[in-house]
PDB file of all heavy atoms in Angstrom:
ATOM      1  N   ALA A  88      36.723  54.895 -71.285  1.00 97.00           N
ATOM      2  CA  ALA A  88      37.845  54.300 -72.041  1.00 97.00           C
ATOM      3  C   ALA A  88      38.459  53.137 -71.335  1.00 97.00           C
ATOM      4  O   ALA A  88      39.159  52.345 -71.959  1.00 97.00           O
ATOM      5  CB  ALA A  88      38.856  55.376 -72.416  1.00 97.00           C
ATOM      6  N   GLU A  89      38.286  53.040 -70.004  1.00 98.00           N
ATOM      7  CA  GLU A  89      38.860  51.908 -69.233  1.00 98.00           C
ATOM      8  C   GLU A  89      37.884  50.790 -69.026  1.00 98.00           C
ATOM      9  O   GLU A  89      38.048  49.917 -68.201  1.00 98.00           O
ATOM     10  CB  GLU A  89      39.287  52.468 -67.862  1.00 98.00           C
ATOM     11  CG  GLU A  89      40.423  53.493 -67.968  1.00 98.00           C
ATOM     12  CD  GLU A  89      40.667  54.158 -66.609  1.00 98.00           C
ATOM     13  OE1 GLU A  89      40.784  53.411 -65.598  1.00 98.00           O
ATOM     14  OE2 GLU A  89      40.788  55.414 -66.571  1.00 98.00           O
ATOM     15  N   ASP A  90      36.771  50.807 -69.806  1.00 98.00           N
ATOM     16  CA  ASP A  90      35.722  49.803 -69.721  1.00 98.00           C
ATOM     17  C   ASP A  90      35.036  49.759 -68.397  1.00 98.00           C
ATOM     18  O   ASP A  90      34.686  48.669 -67.879  1.00 98.00           O
ATOM     19  CB  ASP A  90      36.245  48.390 -70.107  1.00 98.00           C
ATOM     20  CG  ASP A  90      35.103  47.524 -70.677  1.00 98.00           C
ATOM     21  OD1 ASP A  90      34.221  48.057 -71.369  1.00 98.00           O
ATOM     22  OD2 ASP A  90      35.167  46.291 -70.452  1.00 98.00           O
ATOM     23  N   ARG A  91      34.867  50.946 -67.809  1.00 98.00           N
ATOM     24  CA  ARG A  91      34.126  51.095 -66.514  1.00 98.00           C
ATOM     25  C   ARG A  91      32.765  51.636 -66.823  1.00 98.00           C
ATOM     26  O   ARG A  91      32.612  52.500 -67.666  1.00 98.00           O
ATOM     27  CB  ARG A  91      34.875  51.995 -65.573  1.00 98.00           C
ATOM     28  CG  ARG A  91      36.273  51.486 -65.131  1.00 98.00           C
ATOM     29  CD  ARG A  91      36.948  52.419 -64.244  1.00 98.00           C
ATOM     30  NE  ARG A  91      36.928  53.783 -64.775  1.00 98.00           N
ATOM     31  CZ  ARG A  91      37.135  54.885 -64.079  1.00 98.00           C
ATOM     32  NH1 ARG A  91      37.412  54.828 -62.807  1.00 98.00           N
ATOM     33  NH2 ARG A  91      37.097  56.079 -64.628  1.00 98.00           N
ATOM     34  N   VAL A  92      31.782  51.195 -66.033  1.00 98.00           N
ATOM     35  CA  VAL A  92      30.403  51.673 -66.211  1.00 98.00           C
ATOM     36  C   VAL A  92      30.123  52.715 -65.124  1.00 98.00           C
ATOM     37  O   VAL A  92      30.421  52.502 -63.944  1.00 98.00           O
ATOM     38  CB  VAL A  92      29.394  50.483 -66.073  1.00 98.00           C
ATOM     39  CG1 VAL A  92      27.981  50.973 -66.165  1.00 98.00           C
ATOM     40  CG2 VAL A  92      29.720  49.412 -67.119  1.00 98.00           C
ATOM     41  N   LEU A  93      29.446  53.776 -65.557  1.00 98.00           N
ATOM     42  CA  LEU A  93      28.985  54.759 -64.567  1.00 98.00           C
ATOM     43  C   LEU A  93      27.738  54.225 -63.913  1.00 98.00           C
ATOM     44  O   LEU A  93      26.753  53.967 -64.585  1.00 98.00           O
ATOM     45  CB  LEU A  93      28.666  56.104 -65.286  1.00 98.00           C
ATOM     46  CG  LEU A  93      28.211  57.118 -64.239  1.00 98.00           C
ATOM     47  CD1 LEU A  93      29.232  58.120 -63.948  1.00 98.00           C
ATOM     48  CD2 LEU A  93      26.871  57.726 -64.643  1.00 98.00           C
ATOM     49  N   CYS A  94      27.844  54.022 -62.610  1.00 97.00           N
ATOM     50  CA  CYS A  94      26.704  53.482 -61.819  1.00 97.00           C
ATOM     51  C   CYS A  94      26.186  54.482 -60.799  1.00 97.00           C
ATOM     52  O   CYS A  94      26.922  55.344 -60.326  1.00 97.00           O
ATOM     53  CB  CYS A  94      27.154  52.200 -61.085  1.00 97.00           C
ATOM     54  SG  CYS A  94      27.614  50.825 -62.193  1.00 97.00           S
ATOM     55  N   LEU A  95      24.971  54.309 -60.434  1.00 95.00           N
ATOM     56  CA  LEU A  95      24.359  55.055 -59.378  1.00 95.00           C
ATOM     57  C   LEU A  95      23.907  54.100 -58.254  1.00 95.00           C
ATOM     58  O   LEU A  95      23.482  53.016 -58.579  1.00 95.00           O
ATOM     59  CB  LEU A  95      23.098  55.837 -59.885  1.00 95.00           C
ATOM     60  CG  LEU A  95      23.249  56.646 -61.139  1.00 95.00           C
ATOM     61  CD1 LEU A  95      21.926  57.212 -61.597  1.00 95.00           C
ATOM     62  CD2 LEU A  95      24.322  57.756 -61.007  1.00 95.00           C
ATOM     63  N   ARG A  96      24.019  54.530 -57.046  1.00 95.00           N
ATOM     64  CA  ARG A  96      23.401  53.742 -55.954  1.00 95.00           C
ATOM     65  C   ARG A  96      22.325  54.617 -55.395  1.00 95.00           C
ATOM     66  O   ARG A  96      22.605  55.708 -54.919  1.00 95.00           O
ATOM     67  CB  ARG A  96      24.456  53.372 -54.902  1.00 95.00           C
ATOM     68  CG  ARG A  96      23.993  52.308 -53.932  1.00 95.00           C
ATOM     69  CD  ARG A  96      25.044  51.925 -52.922  1.00 95.00           C
ATOM     70  NE  ARG A  96      26.368  51.680 -53.446  1.00 95.00           N
ATOM     71  CZ  ARG A  96      26.850  50.510 -53.890  1.00 95.00           C
ATOM     72  NH1 ARG A  96      26.070  49.454 -53.865  1.00 95.00           N
ATOM     73  NH2 ARG A  96      28.067  50.409 -54.318  1.00 95.00           N
ATOM     74  N   GLN A  97      21.041  54.152 -55.473  1.00 93.00           N
ATOM     75  CA  GLN A  97      19.936  54.986 -55.104  1.00 93.00           C
ATOM     76  C   GLN A  97      18.918  54.206 -54.305  1.00 93.00           C
ATOM     77  O   GLN A  97      18.635  53.043 -54.588  1.00 93.00           O
ATOM     78  CB  GLN A  97      19.280  55.549 -56.383  1.00 93.00           C
ATOM     79  CG  GLN A  97      18.233  56.549 -56.127  1.00 93.00           C
ATOM     80  CD  GLN A  97      17.813  57.260 -57.406  1.00 93.00           C
ATOM     81  OE1 GLN A  97      18.451  57.193 -58.433  1.00 93.00           O
ATOM     82  NE2 GLN A  97      16.704  58.024 -57.360  1.00 93.00           N
ATOM     83  N   TYR A  98      18.347  54.858 -53.293  1.00 91.00           N
ATOM     84  CA  TYR A  98      17.276  54.220 -52.489  1.00 91.00           C
ATOM     85  C   TYR A  98      15.973  54.222 -53.313  1.00 91.00           C
ATOM     86  O   TYR A  98      15.587  55.190 -53.900  1.00 91.00           O
ATOM     87  CB  TYR A  98      17.053  55.038 -51.211  1.00 91.00           C
ATOM     88  CG  TYR A  98      15.899  54.535 -50.406  1.00 91.00           C
ATOM     89  CD1 TYR A  98      15.935  53.295 -49.761  1.00 91.00           C
ATOM     90  CD2 TYR A  98      14.730  55.290 -50.268  1.00 91.00           C
ATOM     91  CE1 TYR A  98      14.862  52.809 -49.018  1.00 91.00           C
ATOM     92  CE2 TYR A  98      13.621  54.815 -49.538  1.00 91.00           C
ATOM     93  CZ  TYR A  98      13.705  53.605 -48.935  1.00 91.00           C
ATOM     94  OH  TYR A  98      12.652  53.107 -48.208  1.00 91.00           O
ATOM     95  N   ARG A  99      15.302  53.037 -53.271  1.00 92.00           N
ATOM     96  CA  ARG A  99      14.003  52.866 -53.887  1.00 92.00           C
ATOM     97  C   ARG A  99      13.035  52.409 -52.840  1.00 92.00           C
ATOM     98  O   ARG A  99      13.090  51.251 -52.410  1.00 92.00           O
ATOM     99  CB  ARG A  99      14.116  51.922 -55.060  1.00 92.00           C
ATOM    100  CG  ARG A  99      14.948  52.401 -56.200  1.00 92.00           C
ATOM    101  CD  ARG A  99      14.379  53.680 -56.813  1.00 92.00           C
ATOM    102  NE  ARG A  99      15.127  54.104 -57.975  1.00 92.00           N
ATOM    103  CZ  ARG A  99      14.820  55.147 -58.687  1.00 92.00           C
ATOM    104  NH1 ARG A  99      13.789  55.937 -58.351  1.00 92.00           N
ATOM    105  NH2 ARG A  99      15.522  55.454 -59.774  1.00 92.00           N
TER     106      ARG A  99
END
Side-chain angles (χ1 to χ4, degrees):
E89 298 171 45
D90 206 34
R91 298 178 310 163
V92 177
L93 180 105
C94 296
L95 311 174
R96 195 179 313 271
Q97 186 170 348
Y98 174 69
R99 294 298 185 179

